[in-house]
């Protein structure tokens, strides 16, 4: 009987300690343990940035494209902020790529990541014969 009473006391002690709040929340104000959708404590992680506007200017005959847009004339596209991606220029059969302007200026190709509204441009000219 004495062994049974000792085991019961031990079990009650374990159960009582399991019901106490964890020490990690001792200094947290507000509702301890309330978690946001991201798994962290509410307000701990800012929301991801939204899309930004990218103005694409096309001079001459050709097209400019990426995973986020395909423009044969000047256009505006919404792209994810901070995402890095390649922009390609393709001249038509009678034209050639002359160069880039804006965010891609002085580049042989265009690889960009925009954190705010930006502008890129492509200039196509007559193909050399």
């Amino acid at each position: 009987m004495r062994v049974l009473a000792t085991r019961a006391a031990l079990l009650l002690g374990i159960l009582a300690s399991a019901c106490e709040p964890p020490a990690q929340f001792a200094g947290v104000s507000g509702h301890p343990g309330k978690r946001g959708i991201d798994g962290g404590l509410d307000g701990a992680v800012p929301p991801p940035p939204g899309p930004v506007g990218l103005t694409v200017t096309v001079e001459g005959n050709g097209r400019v494209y990426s995973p986020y847009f395909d423009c044969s004339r000047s256009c505006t596209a919404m792209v994810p902020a901070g995402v890095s991606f390649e922009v390609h220029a393709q001249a038509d059969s009678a034209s050639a790529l002359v160069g880039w302007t804006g965010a891609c200026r002085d580049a042989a190709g265009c690889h960009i990541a925009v954190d705010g509204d930006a502008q890129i441009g492509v200039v196509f000219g007559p193909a050399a014969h």
Side-chain angles (χ1 to χ4, degrees), residues 54-120:
L54 179 64
T55 302
V56 181
T57 305
V58 180
E59 294 182 35
N61 296 319
R63 76 186 252 252
V64 181
Y65 63 95
S66 79
Y68 304 102
F69 60 86
D70 190 339
C71 305
S72 57
R73 297 187 182 152
S74 297
C75 66
T76 300
M78 299 306 288
V79 299
V83 173
S84 179
F85 60 95
E86 292 285 330
V87 179
H88 304 278
Q90 181 180 19
D92 71 3
S93 60
S95 301
L97 174 65
V98 174
W100 296 90
T101 63
C104 295
R105 177 181 40 249
D106 301 328
C110 182
H111 185 95
I112 63 172
V114 291
D115 291 326
D117 292 348
Q119 185 273 332
I120 61 171

Side-chain angles (χ1 to χ4, degrees), residues 24-25 33-45:
Q24 67 196 29
F25 296 117
K34 183 177 178 190
R35 301 228 173 239
I37 196 164
D38 60 359
L41 292 176
D42 287 343
V45 177

